[in-house]
């Protein structure tokens, strides 16, 4: 793997939707820069640099105030690039780390001091080689006060993961709703299964994010403007409005074949959260509760 890929739009449009003051882009990443923060030897993709200056310029262009930077799989368990971006943000970014489950208490405390407020467990086989549930469970029991677990999986393993997820003793935040097939509609089998999961615990949060992934042409969707996504996801946001956070997913890892325009991604917000009250919960109140409670 030598060719470095670009997965983000070089000139995203200005969105029509204006986010409320204090809005948080709560799912985004940084890549490198590689000269300072080399990618993991186990990385499944090798991206071009997409560092903090680019992220913060995009934040301002799209009308957001803050970021939650999720450690991307291409950096493995070395969180240096994410921590450096948080440190450069003047308090406007916090993060989610990916850790070796054997990390010490001191290691976790250092991540907390650097602005991390959660860890991510990634179950996508195309992104990581292994995901040891027993070790993940161990580390989830020794997280700093107030932290949560972000979990990324595909709809077909939701049931298989249930005993593991049920045992995690801190709040869970599910990336991209566990990737349901949105073309099935709001009452499709995947959405029903995800709703049953949400009903099982009051501290399961989710991100109604990534229309570009879930409604991609190559996944059998229709692509931008992602009508199937809006149709399937809006009822879920309305029903669980205190448990949703939102993000652009910039720089859109692995999306080089259907690179989304970030302005269009932001313009999905009023389609899944049509009222000012819902938008304020999704973009301001909820992410601040999870990431800036202290
Ligand atoms: C996402 C989704 C993806 C990639 C990663 O850490 C990552 O590399 O999360 C993906 O390829 O589906 O949330 O960024």
């Amino acid at each position: 793997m030598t060719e470095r890929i670009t997965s983000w739009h070089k000139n995203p449009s200005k969105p029509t939707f204006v986010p409320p003051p204090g809005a948080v882009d709560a799912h985004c990443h940084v890549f490198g820069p590689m000269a300072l923060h080399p990618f993991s030897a186990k990385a499944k993709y090798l991206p071009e640099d997409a560092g903090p200056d680019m992220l913060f310029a995009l934040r301002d262009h799209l009308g957001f105030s803050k970021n939650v930077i999720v450690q991307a799989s291409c950096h493995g368990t070395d969180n240096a690039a994410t921590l450096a971006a948080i440190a450069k943000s003047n308090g406007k970014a916090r993060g989610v780390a990916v850790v070796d489950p054997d990390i010490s208490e001191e290691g976790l405390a250092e991540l907390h001091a650097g602005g991390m407020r959660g860890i991510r467990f990634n179950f996508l086989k195309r992104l990581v080689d292994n995901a040891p549930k027993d070790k993940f469970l161990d580390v989830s029991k020794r997280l700093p006060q107030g932290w949560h677990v972000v979990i990324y999986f595909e709809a077909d393993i939701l049931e298989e993961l249930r005993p593991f997820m049920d045992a995690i003793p801190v709040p869970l935040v599910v990336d991209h709703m566990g990737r349901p097939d949105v073309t099935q509609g709001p009452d499709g089998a995947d959405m029903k299964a995800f709703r049953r999961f949400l009903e099982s615990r009051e501290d399961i949060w989710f991100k109604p994010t990534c229309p570009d992934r879930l409604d991609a042409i190559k996944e059998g969707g229709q692509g931008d403007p992602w009508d199937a996504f809006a149709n399937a996801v809006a009822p879920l946001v309305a029903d669980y409005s205190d448990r949703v956070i939102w993000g652009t997913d910039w720089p859109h890892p692995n999306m080089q074949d259907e690179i989304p325009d970030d302005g269009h991604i932001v313009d999905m917000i009023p389609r899944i959260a049509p009222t000012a009250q819902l938008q304020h919960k999704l973009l301001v109140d909820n992410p601040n509760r999870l990431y800036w409670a202290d």
Side-chain angles (χ1 to χ4, degrees):
M1 190 175 50
T2 49
E3 198 196 336
R4 298 183 69 188
I5 55 178
T6 301
S7 52
W8 59 94
H9 203 288
K10 290 280 167 66
N11 191 18
S13 61
K14 190 92 182 156
T16 306
F17 174 70
V18 178
V24 182
D25 173 355
H27 185 96
C28 51
H29 315 275
V30 288
F31 296 154
M34 190 167 89
L36 290 178
H37 306 295
F39 299 106
S40 162
K42 295 182 187 160
K44 302 291 185 207
Y45 57 94
L46 187 62
E48 290 287 350
D49 291 344
D53 295 339
M54 288 168 67
L55 176 64
F56 302 149
L58 182 81
R59 173 198 70 201
D60 296 345
H61 173 72
L62 298 176
F64 283 76
S65 301
K66 297 194 287 196
N67 297 104
V68 176
I69 307 174
V70 177
Q71 166 82 352
S73 63
C74 57
H75 279 297
T77 56
D78 178 354
N79 292 280
T82 304
L83 287 167
I86 296 169
K88 231 183 165 185
S89 74
N90 294 320
K92 293 183 184 171
R94 285 212 156 151
V96 175
V98 174
V99 300
D100 177 334
D102 293 327
I103 187 171
S104 64
E105 309 307 305
E106 295 74 32
L108 287 167
E110 263 173 44
L111 291 175
H112 186 90
M116 298 293 190
R117 291 295 179 270
I119 54 172
R120 189 188 203 203
F121 299 150
N122 188 336
F123 284 91
L124 265 68
K125 291 197 177 69
R126 67 177 167 78
L127 293 174
V128 288
D129 290 327
N130 65 337
K133 291 197 203 83
D134 49 346
K135 291 189 161 224
F136 282 173
L137 196 53
D138 275 356
V139 68
S140 76
K141 291 179 178 159
R142 23 183 218 96
L143 294 177
Q145 180 69 27
W147 280 36
H148 58 272
V149 161
V150 172
I151 189 159
Y152 190 24
F153 59 83
E154 286 170 319
D156 62 347
I157 64 163
L158 169 59
E159 293 310 321
E160 180 190 324
L161 286 179
R162 275 301 295 272
F164 161 71
M165 293 195 289
D166 292 351
I168 293 176
V170 294
L172 286 172
V173 181
V174 182
D175 276 342
H176 323 324
M177 302 164 288
R179 297 189 65 115
D181 178 353
V182 294
T183 66
Q184 296 171 348
D187 302 316
D190 286 357
M191 275 299 179
K192 278 193 174 144
F194 191 60
R195 280 174 177 268
R196 279 196 299 276
F197 178 50
L198 292 174
E199 285 302 310
S200 73
R201 259 167 77 165
E202 287 184 357
D203 62 349
I204 303 171
W205 302 53
F206 63 93
K207 300 175 189 168
T209 39
C210 287
D212 52 318
R213 292 184 193 281
L214 303 186
D215 205 355
I217 293 167
K218 87 172 183 199
E219 301 281 329
Q222 292 184 332
D224 189 353
W226 308 302
D227 292 340
F229 181 94
N231 179 44
V233 172
L236 198 69
V237 173
D239 290 346
Y240 296 94
S241 61
D242 291 322
R243 306 202 222 163
V244 285
I245 59 175
W246 186 92
T248 54
D249 188 40
W250 188 90
H252 312 287
N254 296 305
M255 289 301 289
Q256 59 274 13
D257 297 333
E258 274 179 76
I259 294 177
D261 178 331
D262 297 282
H264 297 188
I265 294 259
V266 171
D267 278 333
M268 290 301 284
I269 293 170
R271 300 179 67 201
I272 58 166
T275 68
Q277 191 195 20
L278 281 174
Q279 291 157 9
H280 204 266
K281 286 182 178 193
L282 178 68
L283 301 172
V284 184
D285 297 339
N286 297 348
N288 275 295
R289 272 199 288 143
L290 266 189
Y291 292 97
W292 278 273
D294 51 339

